[in-house]
Amino acid sequence: MVNSLKSSAGGIALQITKPARAAGLVEEDAEGDATRLASVYVYGFDGLLVVVDADRVSIEDRAELVVTAASDSSSIYRGEAASVEIAGNGYQVQLPGCKEAGFAIGDDGYTLPVDNVLLIHNGRHARLAGDLATIRREQL
């Protein structure tokens, strides 16, 4: 299921409950209560957002992902700090810079989770998201 971007707290957010769990951006206890919500950096490129765990992805690994995305997309927009938050019955991530990257409220946010990284694309950049996921797996 693909979720749509929504207005939240004066910005734009995406519901990411299952992808956040799969990427390790949240941790839960046996009752399903959140015990850790990641602080993240969100980097924007045309049609692609790269969300990385600020504490669990090294600066070197983050730089490799950003350089690859910028080179492949021929674009880059300011990266900003954000957070994974509890929203409704799950989790969402605020997406600063997503307007510059070409996303708007109501757009579909296709997600690809990989260890401590969440790749959000507009459907046309699935290949680049897949390439970045491969790079992330090789970093581990």
Side-chain angles (χ1 to χ4, degrees):
M1 179 178 164
V2 175
N3 289 322
S4 297
L5 279 72
K6 62 183 181 177
S7 178
S8 174
I12 298 178
L14 181 65
Q15 196 74 25
I16 58 161
T17 303
K18 289 180 182 178
R21 288 177 180 137
L25 298 178
V26 299
E27 293 176 6
E28 300 169 318
D29 62 19
E31 288 80 41
D33 295 321
T35 58
R36 177 183 182 271
L37 300 172
S39 294
V40 297
Y41 289 106
V42 179
Y43 299 94
F45 310 89
D46 289 339
L48 175 73
L49 299 168
V50 178
V51 179
V52 298
D53 189 315
D55 298 321
R56 296 187 175 170
V57 178
S58 71
I59 292 170
E60 294 82 9
D61 288 348
R62 202 177 319 158
E64 181 180 13
L65 294 170
V66 168
V67 166
T68 300
S71 177
D72 235 33
S73 69
S74 298
S75 65
I76 188 167
Y77 304 99
R78 179 178 53 168
E80 292 187 47
S83 60
V84 175
E85 308 164 336
I86 296 173
N89 293 323
Y91 306 104
Q92 72 178 16
V93 64
Q94 293 292 324
L95 299 172
C98 70
K99 288 181 183 178
E100 293 84 353
F103 291 90
I105 293 171
D107 288 352
D108 289 336
Y110 296 89
T111 57
L112 178 57
V114 62
D115 299 292
N116 301 302
V117 173
L118 184 60
L119 303 157
I120 302 170
H121 62 91
N122 62 6
R124 294 184 305 275
H125 291 356
R127 183 202 53 80
L128 177 54
D131 290 349
L132 294 170
T134 298
I135 290 168
R136 178 65 186 145
R137 286 185 201 102
E138 290 171 353
Q139 290 174 340
L140 301 174

